[in-house]
């Protein structure tokens, strides 16, 4: 009972189509459903944003007025900073140190004594 090659090929093709087509159809349907859900979510968020904007319309106008006032204050401050300075020489007084500076020779002697104390025994000192 031999089947012809054409019959074998037809049966194999039908089995493959029976396995592949339902999976492909399910994948395409899931992709369309995901796209539809995304569109619905965007529409819902737009409506929610519109509701928030209408509910807070007065607040938004208040914020816009405040921003305009801040921008006007910034512009006037910028204009004030750009005006030329008065050409008056002012005396600059340098701050004097509160404690007198130690003698440099004393500082150097102190540093050498510390180095000698930290040197390992048997090392030559300077």
């Amino acid at each position: 009972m031999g089947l012809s090659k054409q019959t074998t090929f037809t049966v194999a093709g039908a089995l493959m189509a029976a396995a592949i087509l339902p999976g492909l159809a399910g994948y395409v349907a899931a992709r369309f459903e995901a796209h539809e859900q995304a569109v619905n979510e965007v529409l819902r968020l737009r409506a929610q944003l519109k509701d928030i904007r209408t509910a807070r319309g007065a607040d938004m106008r208040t914020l816009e007025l405040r921003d305009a006032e801040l921008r006007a204050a910034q512009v006037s401050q910028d204009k004030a900073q750009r005006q030329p300075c008065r050409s008056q020489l002012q005396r600059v007084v340098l701050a004097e140190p509160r404690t007198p500076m130690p003698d440099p020779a004393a500082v150097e002697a102190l540093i050498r004594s510390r180095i000698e104390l930290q040197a390992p025994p048997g090392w030559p000192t300077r």
Side-chain angles (χ1 to χ4, degrees):
M1 283 215 346
L3 294 174
S4 69
K5 291 181 183 179
Q6 185 177 5
T7 307
T8 306
F9 181 75
T10 305
V11 171
L15 286 175
M16 288 179 61
I20 292 175
L21 289 179
L24 183 63
Y27 172 76
V28 171
R31 293 294 289 184
F32 276 118
E33 185 178 334
H35 180 265
E36 185 178 337
Q37 286 178 352
V39 168
N40 288 338
E41 181 68 14
V42 168
L43 293 175
R44 184 189 67 78
L45 289 173
R46 282 185 182 172
Q48 184 179 0
L49 182 61
K50 184 178 178 182
D51 291 343
I52 290 172
R53 284 183 177 166
T54 55
R56 297 188 177 184
D59 293 339
M60 295 299 281
R61 283 188 288 278
T62 304
L63 289 175
E64 289 171 0
L65 289 174
R66 189 194 67 177
D67 289 344
E69 290 173 357
L70 289 175
R71 273 188 251 115
Q74 181 67 32
V75 168
S76 63
Q77 181 182 3
D78 290 343
K79 286 181 182 177
Q81 287 177 350
R82 283 190 235 142
Q83 291 180 357
C85 298
R86 289 180 277 172
S87 60
Q88 293 180 352
L89 294 177
Q90 296 179 351
R91 184 176 175 159
V92 177
V93 179
L94 297 177
E96 296 180 12
R98 295 183 182 201
T99 58
M101 294 295 292
D103 182 30
V107 172
E108 188 175 341
L110 180 65
I111 292 172
R112 282 189 183 174
S113 67
R114 298 288 176 165
I115 290 174
E116 289 173 0
L117 288 174
Q118 293 178 0
W123 279 44
T125 57
R126 231 174 154 186

